[in-house]
Amino acid sequence: MSERTGGPGSPGGTVPEWAGWMSPRRYGEFIDLCADALAGHGVRAVYDGDGVFIAEDGTNYGLDNLSRIVRAEPPEDWPRAVGAFFDSITDRDEAAGPIDPSTVFLSCQPREVLPGPLAPALTEVLPGIVLVPAVDHPTSVEKLFGEGERTGPLGGLAGLVELGRRNLARVRFEQEAIVVDQDRPDSVVVAIGADDPYVAGRLGVLDTVVPAAHRGDVGIVVAAPHQGVLLVHAIRGAGMVPALNGMLRFARAQYASAPRALSPHLYFIGADGGVQRITGPVADGELGIRVEGLFAEALQRAGMINQASRAGGEQT
């Protein structure tokens, strides 16, 4: 875990000159986001109170350039900007030498923040979310977005993705079943977590996380608001309404506040494998659930279309 000291210029004291445009509260939030982002990459570091996180291996992570980046962003976008910044600099820290096959796993990246065009071997595991191979280093995670000398011996990006699937499918994860509405036992949402930075990457091994036998006849709805959590609801009845409303509230809040943000949306995965984003702007301009397309067709076949029309009506 990354830590911060309480010396001069710390969030508990005076805001340093390089961050003078921030209020003390915003400065504290900014430092917390940086600490969480580094910790999410497995980097153990201590904040010196004046713009530098110092890692155990002696690496210094300065915040001056990042402060200039977030200054141009609204505060609600800071988690995404901070996460993308540390994604880029930690990915380069140990990107040298041959890749050990046992260290290859999977991660995800919002397509809109890819460092370049989408490589042919990479695909969207959910609309707007790209599945990428990730190399586990002692102090960071290296995401691979393009072909190169290091990817060739392991079959290129395509081979690395398949290797990542095999490795990640064997790694332990945790799940917690949450009954959103106690009067509706079919309102269960399963939260997936793990002691590793590859929770969202498990979208690439979803058959291992949620076997077909547990998905029901209609399909499932998933959310991946940030790299550290997945939410899954198997549609089985009217409990879908409180379940999806609760998932959307959680996803929106986590996407807005957590580092390594991915998406505030909900996604439907049908029994036939079809995938659709089921959230978007609604009448009031807020993000809401939209019953249309594959999602609506699946619910119509199951006789649940009228129930689904209430989803999103309880959001705040």
Side-chain angles (χ1 to χ4, degrees):
M1 170 178 282
S2 297
E3 303 173 356
R4 57 187 200 182
T5 65
S10 76
T14 305
V15 176
E17 182 178 352
W18 59 268
W21 60 273
M22 300 184 200
S23 68
R25 181 175 67 86
R26 288 292 186 207
Y27 174 61
E29 293 173 352
F30 173 68
I31 299 302
D32 283 340
L33 286 172
C34 294
D36 289 344
L38 281 168
H41 281 281
V43 177
R44 294 176 175 83
V46 175
Y47 183 54
D48 74 347
D50 194 23
V52 179
F53 275 91
I54 304 172
E56 286 183 344
D57 64 0
T59 301
N60 288 354
Y61 295 93
L63 305 182
D64 184 48
N65 287 339
L66 177 56
S67 74
R68 299 172 192 272
I69 293 172
V70 300
R71 187 173 188 173
E73 302 285 347
E76 59 267 24
D77 285 347
W78 284 17
R80 176 196 55 76
V82 171
F85 176 82
F86 284 105
D87 280 350
S88 66
I89 64 172
T90 54
D91 289 346
R92 294 196 301 264
D93 286 344
E94 294 171 294
I99 298 171
D100 179 350
S102 69
T103 66
V104 179
F105 298 98
L106 296 174
S107 187
C108 289
Q109 189 83 352
R111 183 164 185 169
E112 63 186 17
V113 297
L114 287 179
L118 182 65
L122 301 180
T123 59
E124 293 187 350
V125 66
L126 294 174
I129 298 179
V130 179
L131 190 70
V132 299
V135 182
D136 192 77
H137 295 291
T139 61
S140 67
V141 173
E142 176 194 358
K143 296 179 185 178
L144 301 173
F145 301 107
E147 306 286 2
E149 292 181 2
R150 297 170 66 235
T151 63
L154 294 174
L157 288 179
L160 285 164
V161 168
E162 290 309 309
L163 180 58
R165 290 185 200 275
R166 294 196 297 272
N167 288 342
L168 193 54
R170 295 194 292 265
V171 178
R172 180 180 177 274
F173 63 90
E174 300 174 351
Q175 54 185 332
E176 178 185 3
I178 303 165
V179 181
V180 179
D181 183 342
Q182 297 300 318
D183 294 327
R184 298 292 324 185
D186 55 356
S187 67
V188 173
V189 174
V190 178
I192 307 294
D195 293 327
D196 59 56
Y198 308 110
V199 176
R202 286 173 171 83
L203 287 167
V205 291
L206 204 55
D207 288 344
T208 300
V209 178
V210 188
H214 298 284
R215 298 192 184 192
D217 297 328
V218 180
I220 61 175
V221 174
V222 302
H226 60 81
Q227 297 281 3
V229 67
L230 289 178
L231 300 179
V232 182
H233 171 67
I235 299 173
R236 300 185 186 280
M240 157 184 60
V241 175
L244 298 194
N245 287 337
M247 287 175 69
L248 182 55
R249 286 192 294 269
F250 180 86
R252 289 170 58 186
Q254 289 291 299
Y255 177 78
S257 63
R260 301 182 297 145
L262 274 179
S263 170
H265 293 287
L266 305 187
Y267 303 85
F268 172 69
I269 302 176
D272 61 356
V275 180
Q276 177 191 345
R277 193 181 79 185
I278 63 170
T279 46
V282 291
D284 58 3
E286 293 291 324
L287 197 64
I289 297 167
R290 298 163 66 165
V291 183
E292 57 191 22
L294 296 175
F295 183 45
E297 293 170 8
L299 295 174
Q300 183 73 55
R301 288 192 297 270
M304 298 182 187
I305 193 70
N306 291 333
Q307 297 166 357
S309 65
R310 300 198 302 275
E314 301 167 13
Q315 299 163 36
T316 58

